[in-house]
Amino acid sequence: MAEAYDPGNIFAKILRGEIPSHRVYEDDAVVAFMDVMPQGMGHTLVVPKAPSRNMLDADPATLGPLFGVAQKVAVAVKKAFNADGVTLMQFNEPASGQTVYHLHVHVVPRFEGVPLKPHSGQMEKPEVLAANAVKIRAALGG
Ligand code: 5GP
């Protein structure tokens, strides 16, 4: 049986405003903010407000708005960083690489010949995350 959703997870705390994040987008259903251990410049996380551990227990009604915003963010990061492409990733349970148990989609700008950095690797400087968030917000038109 799937494990229960834990409202003490780090993204739930970010959604409740209990810990800070560099937000680039918010609407009624979805928030997007910078990943603190980016796998590439501009790595952004797109997170539904509705609670679920991952895709396996999510309400299907959550997925349309989530992927609608993931697409908007993908277009915006490509523009913001003049990227050659964009990788979207989404992990379910530890065996897949999931480390935070609130559904989310990774959006990572990609550049020809530049590999992804390790997953949950090195912390980025807050000032770099803040500067990248400004660029993404501008590309999103907000
Ligand atoms: P997962 O492994 O669950 O797919 O991805 C979790 C992601 O969250 C990782 O890429 C990791 O770098 C990121 N992350 C972990 N803790 C925090 C945090 O406190 N704030 C932010 N913004 N990202 C985090």
Side-chain angles (χ1 to χ4, degrees):
M1 201 170 97
E3 282 190 55
Y5 177 79
D6 174 6
N9 76 75
I10 198 96
F11 291 171
K13 289 180 182 172
I14 287 174
L15 290 171
R16 292 194 294 266
E18 293 167 9
I19 65 168
S21 65
H22 298 276
R23 290 194 188 203
V24 298
Y25 179 91
E26 178 164 9
D27 64 24
D28 288 350
V30 182
V31 171
F33 51 84
M34 306 311 296
D35 193 307
V36 289
M37 291 172 271
Q39 290 186 252
M41 181 172 56
H43 183 164
T44 304
L45 298 167
V46 182
V47 183
K49 292 182 177 175
S52 68
R53 273 175 71 83
N54 52 44
M55 286 283 276
L56 304 176
D57 63 335
D59 181 339
T62 303
L63 304 180
L66 174 64
F67 278 87
V69 175
Q71 183 191 33
K72 276 193 181 69
V73 170
V75 170
V77 297
K78 186 170 184 296
K79 181 177 166 197
F81 300 101
N82 197 23
D84 301 310
V86 184
T87 295
L88 270 66
M89 296 180 286
Q90 192 281 316
F91 305 109
N92 303 283
E93 299 300 328
S96 75
Q98 186 177 12
T99 58
V100 177
Y101 299 99
H102 181 113
L103 176 61
H104 54 280
V105 177
H106 298 259
V107 180
V108 191
R110 301 300 303 275
F111 303 88
E112 292 295 348
V114 179
L116 285 179
K117 292 183 196 165
H119 187 56
S120 298
Q122 222 179 333
M123 289 281 276
E124 184 54 276
K125 296 185 196 73
E127 59 268 29
V128 171
L129 296 177
N132 288 342
V134 166
K135 289 182 189 166
I136 298 169
R137 280 196 291 268
L140 281 164

